[in-house]
């Protein structure tokens, strides 16, 4: 090893053309690569320390460091990891001069940590790439891909806060790319962030959109559909969830999902017993099993609200005690949930606290729909009247052309 160190020191102080010096350095590198693991690590460290020396021309340094970076990919992970960390440390004072090489080494080091399932460390390594602050102008696709990879790694590490921070950075770039794969990865990460933040309806919408992407493998599309169904079931009861339930229930692919029976009962406004949720609970991820403020799980809370909405279509009124028995919760808790849903206009009715009764109101959706259609027709007639006043000749010609066609 001392011999190689001396040869490297002599090359640093010697003259000659860039091509000759580069060849001599390569010859030493080839010799070092024949060593066993321990000597190989030490040899590569000595080689890297020599080539990034300020006395070595940047043209040679960059070229040789790029070659070392390519070589690291072919070595054992243990060797590659040790040498990569050393390289990043040694290059740090002159990192601006080696932005391309440092970026490649960080990408490779992150891949090693990812294989080890050390998600957080992999993300931190990638964060070190100066995508915005460096002198190099990175392409939109490279920056977007890196931000999405960082976000995905933080999400794997169950850190949605950091994940969302990098999704937000990616959001500014995803409109500028034509790469469909990156667009899909962006939507996946966005869906997962919304899922973590318990914005279940928005997450379900993203997942459902992904389930129709033909660029994705069939098994991944079914996984996306399953995630959309789970998020919809966990969502707070109301009109938005009802629309998503209808969309999913009418999708024939959902019938092959193990959670279809719960989806069907929710769509058809049937009461769901707590004992029926056992199988569905096994499909939930860790963050979806969290407790809400009242001590119930997210799933229990969603089912209670669903059952309350279903009860509002079965009964004109019901006592707090009867409602509590129906929902399998305490009467005062049933009253509190009913009160909140009525206040938030997710359910129609009113509460008589003197008699301890909840009165449900049914709103005729068809009447509302008819009124909206009637209003639209009036607006169309109004527009035609204005056109008749301003451009009668154009209107007559248009009407005649339509009659002929």
């Amino acid at each position: 090893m001392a011999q190689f160190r001396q040869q490297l020191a002599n090359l640093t102080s010697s003259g000659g053309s860039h091509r000759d010096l580069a060849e001599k350095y390569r010859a030493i590198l080839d010799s070092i690569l024949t060593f066993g693991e321990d000597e190989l690590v030490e040899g590569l460290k000595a080689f890297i320390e020599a080539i990034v020396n300020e006395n070595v021309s940047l043209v040679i340094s960059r070229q040789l460091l790029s070659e070392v970076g390519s070589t690291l990919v072919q070595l054992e992970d243990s060797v590659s990891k040790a040498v990569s960390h050393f390289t990043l440390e040694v290059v740090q004072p002159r990192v601006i001069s080696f932005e391309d090489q440092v970026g490649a080494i960080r990408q490779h080091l992150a891949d090693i940590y990812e294989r080890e399932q050390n998600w957080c460390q992999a993300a931190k390594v990638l964060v070190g790439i100066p995508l915005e602050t460096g002198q190099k102008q990175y392409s939109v696709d490279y920056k977007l891909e890196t931000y999405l990879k960082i976000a995905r790694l933080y999400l794997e590490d169950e850190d949605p806060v950091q994940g969302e921070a990098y999704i937000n950075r990616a959001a500014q770039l995803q409109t500028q790319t034509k790469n469909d794969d990156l667009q899909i990865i962006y939507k996946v990460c966005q869906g997962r962030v919304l899922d973590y933040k318990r914005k279940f309806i928005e997450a379900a919408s993203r997942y459902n959109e992904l389930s129709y992407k033909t660029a994705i493998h069939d098994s991944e599309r079914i996984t996306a559909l399953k995630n959309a169904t789970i998020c919809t079931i966990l969502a707070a009861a109301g009109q938005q969830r009802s629309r998503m339930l209808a969309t999913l229930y009418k999708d024939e692919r959902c019938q092959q999902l193990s959670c279809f029976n719960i989806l069907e009962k929710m769509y058809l406004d049937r009461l769901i017993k707590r004992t029926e949720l056992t199988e569905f609970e096994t499909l939930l991820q860790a963050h979806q099993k969290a407790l809400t403020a009242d001590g119930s799980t997210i799933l229990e809370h969603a089912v209670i609200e669903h059952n309350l909405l279903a009860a509002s279509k079965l009964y004109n009124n019901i006592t707090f005690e009867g409602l509590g028995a129906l929902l399998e919760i305490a009467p005062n808790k049933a009253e509190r949930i009913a009160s909140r849903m009525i206040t938030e206009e997710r359910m129609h009715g009113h509460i008589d606290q003197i008699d301890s009764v909840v009165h449900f109101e049914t709103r005729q959706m068809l009447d509302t729909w008819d009124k909206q259609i009637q209003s639209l027709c009036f607006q169309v007639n109004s527009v035609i009247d204005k056109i008749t006043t301003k451009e009668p000749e154009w209107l007559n010609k248009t009407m005649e052309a339509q009659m002929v066609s």
Side-chain angles (χ1 to χ4, degrees):
M1 188 58 65
Q3 175 192 350
F4 286 111
R5 288 183 185 278
Q6 187 59 49
Q7 287 178 0
L8 289 166
N10 292 339
L11 279 176
T12 303
S13 57
S14 67
S17 69
H18 285 170
R19 174 182 279 186
D20 291 343
L21 284 171
E23 287 302 323
K24 289 175 182 177
Y25 274 115
R26 284 193 191 96
I28 296 173
L29 177 61
D30 290 340
S31 300
I32 290 171
L33 291 173
T34 62
F35 293 165
E37 185 171 325
D38 292 339
E39 287 186 319
L40 179 57
V41 171
E42 291 306 313
L44 286 171
K45 284 182 177 179
F47 183 81
I48 291 161
E49 198 168 15
I51 64 172
V52 299
N53 189 296
E54 290 184 1
N55 295 325
V56 179
S57 166
L58 263 180
V59 175
I60 298 174
S61 296
R62 285 171 176 162
Q63 191 177 352
L64 291 171
L65 195 57
S66 294
E67 291 177 20
V68 170
S70 300
T71 303
L72 290 175
V73 179
Q74 302 164 20
L75 301 177
E76 290 288 329
D77 282 355
S78 56
V79 173
S80 192
K81 186 160 68 170
V83 175
S84 295
H85 275 296
F86 176 80
T87 306
L88 294 176
E89 189 179 326
V90 170
V91 170
Q92 186 56 39
R94 301 178 65 201
V95 70
I96 292 175
S97 302
F98 299 99
E99 282 192 51
D100 277 338
Q101 293 75 18
V102 166
I105 290 170
R106 283 189 176 276
Q107 291 281 3
H108 170 59
L109 188 55
D111 288 342
I112 294 174
Y113 279 120
E114 193 173 354
R115 284 195 289 273
E116 295 174 352
Q117 296 190 357
N118 190 342
W119 316 116
C120 183
Q121 195 58 44
K124 286 178 180 177
V125 167
L126 289 177
V127 168
I129 300 175
L131 295 174
E132 306 294 345
T133 57
Q135 290 186 336
K136 177 179 169 59
Q137 292 296 312
Y138 293 97
S139 69
V140 169
D141 281 9
Y142 180 84
K143 288 198 287 187
L144 178 58
E145 185 177 5
T146 305
Y147 283 143
L148 289 174
K149 191 172 182 181
I150 294 169
R152 181 176 58 78
L153 289 166
Y154 274 127
L155 289 171
E156 291 290 346
D157 196 48
E158 297 188 355
D159 186 349
V161 176
Q162 288 291 346
E164 185 181 15
Y166 284 92
I167 281 293
N168 290 340
R169 293 191 188 190
Q172 300 167 18
L173 299 168
Q174 62 94 18
T175 55
Q176 302 172 38
T177 185
K178 295 179 180 178
N179 189 319
D180 289 339
D181 290 341
L182 292 179
Q183 292 280 13
I184 288 169
I185 295 169
Y186 172 75
K187 283 187 168 60
V188 171
C189 290
Q190 196 180 36
R192 289 183 66 184
V193 167
L194 292 167
D195 190 346
Y196 269 107
K197 292 178 72 178
R198 301 186 191 178
K199 293 185 176 180
F200 292 119
I201 284 297
E202 293 173 51
S205 178
R206 299 294 187 283
Y207 287 136
N208 190 48
E209 186 182 343
L210 285 166
S211 76
Y212 288 101
K213 296 284 185 183
T214 53
I216 304 175
H217 191 272
D218 286 350
S219 63
E220 292 178 343
R221 287 164 66 186
I222 291 298
T223 300
L225 186 66
K226 183 187 76 174
N227 289 337
T229 305
I230 290 171
C231 285
T232 303
I233 290 169
L234 293 176
Q239 288 185 357
Q240 282 187 308
R241 193 191 67 158
S242 296
R243 283 195 290 269
M244 185 56 73
L245 283 171
T247 300
L248 293 170
Y249 182 73
K250 292 169 186 175
D251 190 331
E252 291 181 357
R253 298 174 300 164
C254 285
Q255 293 178 14
Q256 61 186 288
L257 300 177
S258 58
C259 52
F260 179 72
N261 62 326
I262 300 292
L263 173 70
E264 183 176 41
K265 287 194 171 186
M266 285 197 163
Y267 173 69
L268 298 173
D269 290 323
R270 293 175 183 167
L271 294 169
I272 299 171
K273 297 284 185 185
R274 192 171 294 178
T275 52
E276 297 175 70
L277 300 173
T278 309
E279 184 182 353
F280 181 76
E281 285 174 333
T282 62
L283 303 175
L284 302 181
Q285 298 175 50
H287 69 276
Q288 293 170 335
K289 295 178 182 178
L291 297 178
T292 58
D294 62 4
S296 59
T297 65
I298 296 172
L299 176 59
E300 288 170 349
H301 189 75
V303 170
I304 288 169
E305 287 195 345
H306 160 76
N307 284 342
L308 186 49
L309 208 55
S312 72
K313 295 174 183 178
L314 291 172
Y315 299 90
N316 290 325
N317 55 64
I318 189 171
T319 63
F320 295 162
E321 194 171 336
L323 185 60
L326 193 67
L327 302 179
E328 300 178 287
I329 57 175
N332 61 336
K333 187 175 180 180
E335 179 198 358
R336 194 165 60 249
I337 293 172
S339 174
R340 185 176 66 248
M341 289 181 69
I342 292 169
T343 303
E344 293 172 356
E345 296 185 351
R346 290 190 287 132
M347 184 173 71
H348 302 296
H350 63 274
I351 293 174
D352 184 340
Q353 289 187 318
I354 296 173
D355 293 334
S356 298
V357 173
V358 180
H359 295 272
F360 301 115
E361 297 172 9
T362 55
R363 301 281 176 95
Q364 293 299 323
M365 295 304 293
L366 285 176
D367 288 348
T368 307
W369 182 247
D370 287 344
K371 286 176 183 176
Q372 288 174 340
I373 292 174
Q374 189 180 33
S375 172
L376 180 62
C377 291
F378 280 135
Q379 289 177 47
V380 171
N381 283 335
S382 175
V383 170
I384 291 172
D385 289 342
K386 287 178 181 177
I387 292 172
T388 305
T389 306
K390 293 283 186 182
E391 298 287 344
E393 292 181 11
W394 177 86
L395 183 65
N396 289 332
K397 285 180 183 179
T398 305
M399 296 291 281
E400 286 172 11
Q402 285 185 343
M403 291 290 285
V404 171
S405 61

